[in-house]
Amino acid sequence: MYNVGIDIGSTASKVVVLDDSKKEILYKKVMPTGWSSVQASRDIEEWLLENGVTEDNRKVVATGYGRVSVPFADKVITEITCHGKGASFFNPGKDITIIDIGGQDTKVISFRDNFVDDFKMNDKCSAGTGKFLEVMAGRLGVDLDEMFALARKGKDIKISSMCTVFAETEIISLIGKGTPKEDIACGVIHSIINKVIILVNRIPKSDQYFLTGGFAGNDYMVEHLQELLKADVSTHEDGRFAGAIGAAMLAK
């Protein structure tokens, strides 16, 4: 029996197929959610069928922003629970605090004794999320990888605006003043990290943090979170699949 987890986020949709023991990833895929989470779920269903994962040999759990748009799911579960469970896949038996920087929100989840015991979420504004970085990178004329590369060469400057729209205006002004692109990139990324730290500090301090979401595996993000939290921050190249993995682990 295949155990399928589908995490339809606002920006990207992730799908993972675990083996019957729920300990090995057999298949995984990430694709843009696009304008319609319904269409994203159709694309996922087509991909599953291509890999021989059919309604006769699978159990499916959907999570994320578009979880209600997966008509073939046997169950839907909140992303908080799934991210907690998915992080435990990479950190078996450990108490851990998960930092998930998503496209439209950021979540901090305290996972203790194999259960979520606390969480905080920033979903009122895109500041402090992947979308914020995406917009700012676009304004600088670079992609996200190029933006992080620039930031390593720059010095931190303060981006004071909390709102994405006002921050974009602020960046246009900095560009007009001739501020180096490297410094702007560094300031934007540090602005994101500082907002994440504010959210993290709203729950009890942890000795161990784990970064998931679109920036999982990003050394720059890990280094600076570690520096500000004064604690160990780990991640994994498949950390962006944490929600989908957790969903698959919860399939029954």
Side-chain angles (χ1 to χ4, degrees):
M1 181 65 68
Y2 294 112
N3 299 284
V4 181
I6 297 171
D7 178 10
I8 298 189
S10 59
T11 303
S13 294
K14 288 77 65 180
V15 55
V16 164
V17 180
L18 297 182
D19 69 345
D20 204 35
S21 71
K22 301 182 181 179
K23 293 180 179 178
E24 181 183 352
I25 298 174
L26 299 177
Y27 309 109
K28 63 184 178 181
K29 188 175 181 63
V30 59
M31 60 184 73
T33 298
W35 69 275
S36 168
S37 54
V38 173
Q39 184 58 51
S41 75
R42 289 173 183 155
D43 294 340
I44 288 171
E45 169 74 328
E46 184 178 332
W47 178 79
L48 288 170
L49 293 174
E50 287 172 359
N51 285 281
V53 183
T54 71
E55 61 181 322
D56 297 323
N57 62 12
R58 72 190 184 196
K59 291 294 182 183
V60 181
V61 171
T63 190
Y65 160 86
R67 60 185 179 272
V68 297
S69 303
V70 186
F72 54 91
D74 297 296
K75 192 173 184 180
V76 295
I77 299 177
T78 69
E79 58 263 47
I80 301 297
T81 300
C82 290
H83 271 272
K85 197 70 175 176
S88 74
F89 181 87
F90 301 106
N91 304 274
K94 291 183 180 179
D95 290 342
I96 197 162
T97 297
I98 301 108
I99 300 172
D100 174 56
I101 304 174
Q104 296 286 5
D105 62 46
T106 295
K107 297 178 280 290
V108 180
I109 305 161
S110 175
F111 195 74
R112 301 287 180 271
D113 299 321
N114 211 32
F115 290 97
V116 172
D117 73 350
D118 196 4
F119 75 92
K120 300 296 177 187
M121 186 172 178
N122 167 29
D123 61 353
K124 302 298 182 186
C125 173
S126 64
T129 69
K131 188 64 178 179
F132 178 88
L133 267 188
E134 192 177 284
V135 170
M136 300 309 144
R139 178 51 64 184
L140 291 175
V142 297
D143 62 27
L144 288 176
D145 288 339
E146 291 169 331
M147 191 171 192
F148 278 98
L150 284 171
R152 284 198 177 276
K153 302 174 186 175
K155 63 183 182 190
D156 190 13
I157 58 172
K158 185 173 178 59
I159 305 295
S160 57
S161 300
M162 295 290 287
C163 170
T164 301
V165 175
F166 292 148
E168 189 174 11
T169 302
E170 189 173 346
I171 285 171
I172 292 170
S173 176
L174 289 169
I175 293 171
K177 292 175 182 176
T179 305
K181 190 179 286 190
E182 294 84 355
D183 294 353
I184 297 174
C186 186
V188 166
I189 292 172
H190 282 234
S191 170
I192 285 268
I193 294 171
N194 289 334
K195 290 176 177 66
V196 171
I197 294 296
I198 290 171
L199 196 62
V200 171
N201 287 337
R202 291 174 57 195
I203 66 174
K205 186 171 176 58
S206 174
D207 295 325
Q208 177 70 55
Y209 295 89
F210 186 74
L211 178 64
T212 67
F215 299 112
N218 185 297
D219 292 340
Y220 189 95
M221 190 71 79
V222 170
E223 289 167 17
H224 286 275
L225 284 171
Q226 209 158 236
E227 180 184 336
L228 292 173
L229 289 170
K230 295 180 172 56
D232 185 41
V233 178
S234 60
T235 187
H236 191 279
E237 61 182 357
D238 286 336
R240 73 181 306 173
F241 290 97
I245 290 171
M249 291 173 74
L250 291 165
K252 296 181 180 179

